[in-house]
Amino acid sequence: MASVLITGGAGYIGSHTIIEFLNNDLDIIIIDNFSNSKPEVINRIKDISGCKLKFYQIDLLDSSKLDGVFKENHIDAVIHFAGFKAVGESVSDSLKYYKNNIAGTLELLETMKKNDVKKIVFSSSATVYGTGNNIPFKENSSLKTTSPYGTTKLMIEQILTDLCISEPDWSVIILRYFNPIGAHESGLIGEDPTGLPNNLMPFLTQVAMGRLEGIKVFGNDYDTHDGTGIRDYIHVVDLAKGHLKALQKLSNNFGLSIYNLGVGKGYSVLDVIKTFENVVKINIKYKFVERRAGDVAVSIADVNKARDELGWEAKKTLLDMCADSWKWQKLNPNGYE
Ligand code: UFG
C-alpha cells in the first residue's frame, strides 16, 4: 500500500494520522474543504515530517473535481475522515449533517468504484453504541444513536456493510473512535475548535489559558464513582497509529471489519480535571450543572479485537494526553490563527 488519499486530512485526527503515514514512507494525497480546519495545518504537517504531500482544496460533493483527483493520482486506498461532527449542531440543523456526511460519503464511494479503488477505512464513533449495553462496549454490542450526527455515522456503517455484500471485492475497515484528546509531541498540531469548544479537553485548555472563565460539569448524579460521566480518553497519536495498522490489514483482507479504538479504561470528568490541574499547575474553576442531553453515563471500549486482529494497543496515559494538549494550547494560544 503506497499511496493513500485522506479526506478531511486537515482536521484534528486526520492531521495526526498523516504524520504517522509519512513517517512510514506512504505517499499522501489530502483533500479538505477547510469547513472546520485551517490551511496552516498543511504547512505544519510538512514542517513536522519534512515530507512532501499533495493537497487539494475541494468538497467531497464536487464530483467532477473529486474524480479529477482520482484521475491525476495513483491511489491504493482511502482514509475517510471528512464529515461534520458537532453533536449539538446536528440536532439544530440535521439536514446539513445528512447532506454533508451521507451524500459526501456516497459521492466518494461512487468515485472510488468508478476509478477501481476499493479499499477504505471509515471514521466512525463510539456514539453508535446504544444505552443499556454492558460496559465495555464490544463491536457486536447493540447500536442506537441519540443525535443526527451519530445517525450519520451509523447510516454510513450500514451503507458500507451493504456495499461489501453486493460487491465482495471491496475491503472496508470501520474504526469506532472513543474520546480522542492530546496532540502531537511537537506542539505544532492539535485540536483547534471553531468558537466555543463542545468537548471537555479543548474547553479545559482554554480555561487554563484564561480565554474562558470556568467549566460547567454536565451532571454529578450519574451512577459512577464521583457522579460525573466516564469516558475512554485516547491519545490522538495512539489513534493515528491505529489507522496505520488498519491500512496494513486492508491490503490483505476483503469484506468488512469493525474495530473499537480506545484505551479500554475510563476516567470521569473530575478525574480528567484533577489530572489536568496537576499537569498545568493551575486551579480549574468548575461548577456542576444539569446533565447534557444525549450524554451516556459511561462509555468504555472493549479493545481486545483491535489488539488481536490489528496488533494495535494504545500506549499513552491520561497524563501524557493532558500534557500534550496543554503544550499545543500554550504554543498556539489562538490555535492556527
Ligand atoms: N463535559 C463536561 N463539560 C463540558 C464538556 C464535556 O462536563 O464542557 C463532559 C461530558 O458530559 C462527558 C465528558 O465531559 O461526560 C466528555 O465529553 P466530550 O464532549 O468531550 O465527549 P463526548 O463523549 O460527549 O463526545 C465524544 C465526541 C463525539 C462522539 C462521542 C462518542 O466528541 O463526536 O464522543 O461517545 F460522538
Side-chain angles (χ1 to χ4, degrees):
M1 204 74 76
S3 181
V4 187
L5 176 74
I6 316 273
T7 76
Y12 172 48
I13 303 172
S15 55
H16 287 82
T17 301
I18 290 166
I19 299 292
E20 295 305 313
F21 282 14
L22 290 170
N23 286 343
N24 282 273
D25 297 326
L26 293 163
D27 288 333
I28 298 299
I29 302 133
I30 303 176
I31 62 175
D32 204 298
N33 62 3
F34 295 131
S35 65
N36 192 27
S37 58
K38 308 267 166 44
E40 174 62 14
V41 180
I42 306 299
N43 299 328
R44 304 279 179 99
I45 293 174
K46 288 179 185 162
D47 289 347
I48 294 171
S49 66
C51 295
K52 285 199 190 124
L53 48 83
K54 267 192 159 177
F55 175 78
Y56 295 86
Q57 183 175 353
I58 64 166
D59 195 298
L60 277 183
L61 292 167
D62 188 337
S63 52
S64 71
K65 284 195 182 149
L66 185 62
D67 190 55
V69 174
F70 280 82
K71 296 277 182 304
E72 264 176 48
N73 298 280
H74 171 81
I75 294 169
D76 293 303
V78 176
I79 315 283
H80 180 30
F81 292 106
F84 292 150
K85 60 167 192 175
V87 176
E89 186 192 36
S90 79
V91 176
S92 55
D93 197 352
S94 56
L95 275 188
K96 176 177 166 182
Y97 274 68
Y98 288 113
K99 170 92 189 189
N100 185 71
N101 294 7
I102 305 292
T105 301
L106 289 173
E107 208 60 71
L108 174 67
L109 293 172
E110 282 184 338
T111 310
M112 287 175 66
K113 180 176 168 172
K114 205 159 95 184
N115 289 280
D116 204 28
V117 178
K118 297 188 173 179
K119 295 184 186 303
I120 183 169
V121 176
F122 171 62
S123 303
S124 189
S125 163
T127 197
V128 299
Y129 290 114
T131 46
N133 279 314
N134 290 332
I135 302 292
F137 299 149
K138 291 185 194 300
E139 286 80 353
N140 60 4
S141 295
S142 73
L143 305 176
K144 185 172 179 296
T145 57
T146 53
S147 73
Y149 158 74
T151 308
T152 66
K153 292 293 180 193
L154 195 53
M155 287 170 80
I156 295 167
E157 289 200 5
Q158 188 62 53
I159 291 167
L160 291 168
T161 304
D162 292 340
L163 175 64
C164 286
I165 293 168
S166 57
E167 301 185 27
D169 58 340
W170 278 74
S171 181
V172 176
I173 291 186
I174 291 170
L175 300 176
R176 293 185 181 144
Y177 308 149
F178 281 69
N179 286 61
I181 57 172
H184 189 261
E185 59 182 8
S186 64
L188 286 174
I189 57 171
E191 188 170 11
D192 180 23
T194 313
L196 198 65
N198 292 309
N199 300 114
L200 180 61
M201 185 52 77
F203 210 103
L204 285 178
T205 59
Q206 292 194 18
V207 171
M209 289 302 287
R211 271 171 73 176
L212 298 169
E213 214 192 304
I215 183 155
K216 293 176 182 158
V217 176
F218 299 133
N220 63 345
D221 55 354
Y222 286 109
D223 185 14
T224 62
H225 64 272
D226 59 19
T228 67
I230 290 183
R231 296 290 179 275
D232 185 336
Y233 295 94
I234 173 168
H235 197 294
V236 66
V237 171
D238 276 330
L239 192 73
K241 291 179 197 293
H243 291 75
L244 195 62
K245 294 290 190 183
L247 187 70
Q248 285 160 1
K249 175 131 183 118
L250 268 191
S251 59
N252 56 18
N253 199 53
F254 288 104
L256 179 120
S257 309
I258 302 178
Y259 300 101
N260 286 337
L261 294 187
V263 173
K265 213 170 153 180
Y267 291 97
S268 73
V269 179
L270 292 184
D271 293 336
V272 175
I273 293 177
K274 280 180 206 136
T275 308
F276 185 72
E277 283 181 328
N278 282 337
V279 167
V280 303
K281 311 278 182 249
I282 294 170
N283 277 337
I284 300 294
K285 254 209 244 172
Y286 65 84
K287 67 170 180 191
F288 296 120
V289 299
E290 290 292 292
R291 293 180 179 192
R292 184 170 63 179
D295 273 357
V296 296
V298 182
S299 166
I300 299 174
D302 184 315
V303 292
N304 288 323
K305 192 173 174 209
R307 189 197 55 219
D308 295 347
E309 294 184 19
L310 295 179
W312 169 89
E313 247 177 328
K315 297 267 171 2
K316 291 180 186 276
T317 64
L318 183 61
L319 207 74
D320 300 328
M321 302 177 212
C322 291
D324 288 338
S325 287
W326 180 229
K327 182 175 182 185
W328 149 254
Q329 185 72 82
K330 256 195 319 188
L331 288 174
N332 305 272
N334 299 308
Y336 291 109
E337 295 276 298

